[in-house]
Amino acid sequence: MKNDHDISGFEQQLTAHAVTVEQLLIRLLDERPRLGEVTRPPRLMAAIRHGALNGGKRLRPFLVTETARLYDADPAAALRVAAALECIHCYSLVHDDLPAMDDDDMRRGMPTVHKAYDEAAAILAGDGLLTYAFDIIACDETELPVKTRLDLVASLARAAGIGGMVGGQALDLMAETASPSEAEIITLQAMKTGALIRFACEAGAIIGNASEQERERLAEFGSAIGLAFQLADDLLDVTADAATMGKATGKDAAAGKATLVSLHGVDWTRQQLAGLVAQAEDLLAPFGEKAQTLKEAAHFIALRQS
Ligand code: GRG
């Protein structure tokens, strides 16, 4: 991977896609109660919108729709699955920012939900986003076969839950007091941030009714870029400033928290990133030209500056 790889074209594509995701999220998160709901409390909805409609990169949704595109799958259905995954990602950020977790005041350049509202509102906003994600996928408006929706719900639950993101967060909290080994750091990161990115890539294969082999290949691609994402994040924690990131940086070092960057240094990390991008590109080789944007995504993840 060349450090001068041009990711600006990809960034434009990602930004345009983020607008489409945002538009769907705005519709999904309006105050109109859906069938079976009694009412949508306005303050809860305001806190939810603060946590979800505030200018994230929308990378995970992009990965869902791009992998689904490999199979010419229904773009509207893929977009709904993408939005559902983003709801889970946003919930994880809202809860991660709470005083009991990472205790952050700023996220995406704005006050965190518990700062703008209060802690109870932030907990409930996260809970609401988490449960709504499964509603979005399971309901009939997501026009996919019932078996496909079930498969997506089960896979997303596993990625987000005990043996995935939630478990990874638990291991991460423990790592603040015990020094984890390198293998333990890799495991916790694969769970905490890797699992949702892996699901994002696998989701396209599920939506597209791909073979088991291709589903596994895309999931592996997701794992490779998920690890790259975390390495790049740890690198930015060391090299970027808070204004660029829209959140506090230097927190890991200040807390004495071990990361692969603190164990091996910046040069080693950059080499690892290059290796992961090469691995990701190899995994996409069978998809040919159609996977070009996903290759660009792998470069973007490794080279991103915010
Ligand atoms: C609270 C159950 C629970 C889980 C939290 C994802 C997570 C687990 C915590 C986030 C902590 C963190 C900053 C991890 C580093 C990687 C990461 C997820 C960064 C934020 O994701 P981006 O860069 O954010 O995709 P945007 O704002 O673009 O959506």
Side-chain angles (χ1 to χ4, degrees), residues 46-105:
I48 285 179
R49 284 195 290 266
H50 187 95
L53 304 177
N54 54 5
K57 290 184 288 297
R58 314 300 190 193
L59 179 65
R60 293 155 194 78
F62 186 88
L63 293 169
V64 174
T65 55
E66 265 312 301
T67 47
R69 214 175 55 78
L70 294 176
Y71 299 96
D72 298 320
D74 174 7
L79 188 63
R80 286 181 61 88
V81 176
L85 176 57
E86 185 66 9
C87 286
I88 297 222
H89 170 60
C90 293
Y91 123 73
S92 81
L93 299 180
V94 172
H95 280 191
D96 184 65
D97 290 334
L98 284 165
M101 303 251 189
D102 220 27
D103 195 10
D104 275 304
D105 295 350

Side-chain angles (χ1 to χ4, degrees), residues 13-176:
Q13 233 179 310
L14 185 62
T15 306
H17 185 266
V19 174
T20 312
V21 175
E22 190 95 6
Q23 283 164 349
L24 176 56
L25 284 171
I26 289 169
R27 287 204 301 280
L28 289 167
L29 298 172
D30 64 22
E31 286 185 18
R32 186 173 48 92
R34 304 307 198 259
L35 189 68
E37 292 179 342
V38 180
T39 183
R40 291 190 161 193
R43 189 166 187 272
L44 173 64
M45 292 314 297
I48 285 179
R49 284 195 290 266
H50 187 95
L53 304 177
N54 54 5
K57 290 184 288 297
R58 314 300 190 193
L59 179 65
R60 293 155 194 78
F62 186 88
L63 293 169
V64 174
T65 55
E66 265 312 301
T67 47
R69 214 175 55 78
L70 294 176
Y71 299 96
D72 298 320
D74 174 7
L79 188 63
R80 286 181 61 88
V81 176
L85 176 57
E86 185 66 9
C87 286
I88 297 222
H89 170 60
C90 293
Y91 123 73
S92 81
L93 299 180
V94 172
H95 280 191
D96 184 65
D97 290 334
L98 284 165
M101 303 251 189
D102 220 27
D103 195 10
D104 275 304
D105 295 350
M106 295 292 284
R107 165 75 60 189
R108 294 170 170 169
M110 296 203 313
T112 46
V113 178
H114 67 274
K115 283 281 163 193
Y117 293 83
D118 53 55
E119 279 183 47
I123 291 169
L124 292 173
D127 292 344
L129 285 164
L130 169 60
T131 42
Y132 194 35
F134 295 105
D135 177 345
I136 295 168
I137 295 177
C139 74
D140 287 340
E141 281 164 72
T142 299
E143 292 180 353
L144 291 170
V146 171
K147 169 77 180 75
T148 306
R149 283 184 261 161
L150 194 60
D151 206 352
L152 287 163
V153 164
S155 301
L156 178 55
R158 299 240 167 122
I162 302 166
M165 182 180 70
V166 170
Q169 179 79 345
L171 294 175
D172 196 46
L173 291 173
M174 281 164 58
E176 282 171 14

